[in-house]
Amino acid sequence: MKHLIDPTDLTVEETNNIISLAEEIIANPEYFTARMAGKKLATLFYEPSTRTRLSFTSAMMELGGNVLGFSDPKSSSVSKGETVEDTVRVVGCFADIIAMRHFVEGAPYVASKVSPVPVINAGDGSHSHPTQTLTDLLTIKREIGRLDNLTVGFCGDLRFGRTVHSLIKALSRYHNNKVILIAPDELRLPDYIIQDVCVKNGVDYREVSTMEEVMPELDILYMTRVQKERFLDEDEFDRVKDSFILNLEKLATAKEKMAILHPLPRVNEIMKEVDADPRAAYFRQVANGKFVRMALLSRLIDWKDRPEHTMPEHPDYFVDRTMHCTNLKCISNVEGADPLFHRLDDGTVRCSYCESKIRR
């Protein structure tokens, strides 16, 4: 069975297949109105969401299917202490496919191990958000016309931004993409993404402190919110915050065909004056999210019983009860999932649920 927990759970061929189907749905929506007739999607959202939850709901309804689930775990048996594993085992009796958002990192992965139906990770903590990645890839394809030979600037909170981590992983699998990282020191991209994704896959990257210095180079500017709450020193936040606010003045040197993306919601990192600029693609990006989720739901159900579409093997994963993950938001600490790890080429051990580095 094929689940989608991380962007790399899909092969490049499968990813391209989903994007192509999404483009076909956009071009001929009337052909897909009964594709999921008689099928049910369960949306299990353990934390707030607007775009992702409604996008999944809209996607399934436009395919002719039905939706059940919860948007607040307090209204479910979770409030009585039911584990993720048990919730998914139960809901899998009622639904054909599950979309799960969880504040605990690794929860959708644990769910996929016991689920009788395909599980989609709709965001787990600050770890991964693969359906946003598919949305981003479709948007890039529609705006720029390709997924290779791109220079992509990521700006804002690169440390905790799960959408950034996921998209960099996905772009690393296409040819000759370059990544420019625009962030304050406090919110720079985690070393494990730099080493395990950029360096390991030969992705050209560099880190800079302002968007102005690289604006003329960019094909894509991917904005995220600089989170004030991540700073221990408010004066330090005040010092850097204006460097990461996009306005028309900063766009003056940008390419005519550059596209501005943002996973939303925004606060003040993109001025409203930018909305009217034809390069502002973030609301078109939202619309693309529905279409790519329509394609994903359709494909995962189509592929459910096909042996050629299965989860990738992780032969290097191992359980070791003498070690533990130090991330308090990891599923292994919250619900006592088996302590699962993997060892990198340099000997570093990381948690397989949340990618935290393990200290013995």
Side-chain angles (χ1 to χ4, degrees):
M1 189 186 305
K2 174 71 75 172
H3 307 280
L4 179 58
I5 309 302
D6 182 89
T8 57
D9 290 336
L10 298 172
T11 66
V12 174
E13 181 181 2
E14 288 168 338
T15 300
N16 291 339
N17 183 293
I18 290 168
I19 291 171
S20 295
L21 180 58
E23 292 178 309
E24 187 178 344
I25 291 170
I26 292 168
N28 301 289
E30 66 276 9
Y31 295 160
F32 298 89
T33 55
R35 175 65 69 93
M36 291 290 104
K39 302 294 184 181
K40 293 181 288 293
L41 165 69
T43 54
L44 309 184
F45 277 64
Y46 289 73
E47 66 176 3
S49 170
T50 301
R51 278 152 299 280
T52 304
R53 184 174 64 84
L54 294 182
S55 181
F56 268 113
T57 299
S58 178
M60 193 61 169
M61 292 173 67
E62 293 208 18
L63 290 168
N66 295 301
V67 182
L68 52 88
F70 57 78
S71 60
D72 183 350
K74 293 178 182 178
S75 65
S76 75
S77 290
V78 174
S79 64
K80 303 174 184 177
E82 186 172 65
T83 64
V84 165
E85 288 188 359
D86 284 358
T87 296
V88 167
R89 283 189 173 105
V90 169
V91 173
C93 297
F94 310 138
D96 300 284
I97 191 165
I98 293 171
M100 172 184 285
R101 167 165 289 188
H102 209 294
F103 55 89
V104 173
E105 296 173 20
Y109 177 75
V110 167
S112 72
K113 292 302 180 184
V114 299
S115 177
V117 299
V119 172
I120 300 170
N121 179 5
D124 62 328
S126 61
H127 181 227
S128 188
H129 197 348
T131 65
Q132 181 64 50
T133 299
L134 289 173
T135 299
D136 298 340
L137 292 175
L138 175 60
T139 303
I140 293 170
K141 178 76 180 302
R142 297 191 73 198
E143 297 289 326
I144 306 297
R146 63 183 189 277
L147 292 174
D148 55 8
N149 297 299
L150 296 166
T151 299
V152 183
F154 291 91
C155 181
D157 180 2
L158 311 189
R159 181 180 179 185
F160 299 100
R162 60 191 173 194
T163 62
V164 171
H165 304 169
S166 292
L167 183 54
I168 290 175
K169 278 186 180 181
L171 289 172
S172 73
R173 303 199 296 173
Y174 291 88
H175 179 66
N176 198 36
N177 286 326
K178 300 178 182 179
V179 170
I180 300 179
L181 308 170
I182 312 161
D185 289 342
E186 295 84 352
L187 299 177
R188 65 187 294 271
L189 193 71
D191 286 339
Y192 84 86
I193 296 289
I194 291 177
Q195 295 300 320
D196 301 353
V197 180
C198 296
V199 174
K200 186 175 182 179
N201 293 294
V203 176
D204 186 355
Y205 79 94
R206 73 181 193 270
E207 298 178 281
V208 300
S209 57
T210 67
M211 66 180 81
E212 292 95 321
E213 61 191 286
V214 296
M215 190 68 78
E217 306 174 44
L218 303 180
D219 299 301
I220 302 291
L221 175 60
Y222 196 96
M223 296 292 299
T224 65
R225 178 171 69 94
V226 176
Q227 301 178 64
K228 184 176 182 179
E229 63 270 22
R230 303 296 187 186
F231 286 79
L232 297 177
D233 185 342
E234 189 168 337
D235 290 339
E236 185 69 11
F237 171 76
D238 290 337
R239 182 183 66 80
V240 302
K241 64 179 182 180
D242 290 340
S243 298
F244 307 98
I245 296 177
L246 181 64
N247 55 29
L248 289 177
E249 182 180 355
K250 291 177 181 176
L251 279 173
T253 61
K255 293 179 180 179
E256 184 178 346
K257 288 290 291 182
M258 185 193 76
I260 305 162
L261 275 61
H262 192 306
L264 301 178
R266 67 172 168 183
V267 182
N268 67 338
E269 61 276 6
I270 300 178
M271 301 294 288
K272 289 184 179 180
E273 64 185 30
V274 176
D275 294 354
D277 190 294
R279 292 167 290 194
Y282 31 90
F283 292 118
R284 297 192 291 274
Q285 186 180 355
V286 173
N288 288 333
K290 179 186 71 173
F291 297 120
V292 86
R293 289 179 176 100
M294 290 173 71
L296 175 64
L297 291 168
S298 179
R299 282 292 182 248
L300 287 184
I301 288 179
D302 286 348
W303 294 341
K304 181 177 181 292
D305 298 315
R306 297 187 188 182
E308 68 269 29
H309 296 287
T310 57
M311 291 300 288
E313 294 288 337
H314 295 293
D316 55 337
Y317 281 20
F318 62 93
V319 173
D320 189 333
R321 301 187 189 284
T322 68
M323 298 190 296
H324 71 277
C325 179
T326 57
N327 177 7
L328 297 180
K329 293 185 177 180
C330 177
I331 190 71
S332 62
N333 289 318
V334 176
E335 291 197 358
D338 284 340
L340 189 65
F341 306 99
H342 60 278
R343 187 172 283 105
L344 305 183
D345 294 341
D346 64 1
T348 301
V349 176
R350 292 195 178 274
C351 175
S352 297
Y353 300 118
C354 69
E355 295 291 346
S356 292
K357 186 176 181 179
I358 303 305
R359 295 175 177 82
R360 295 178 182 271

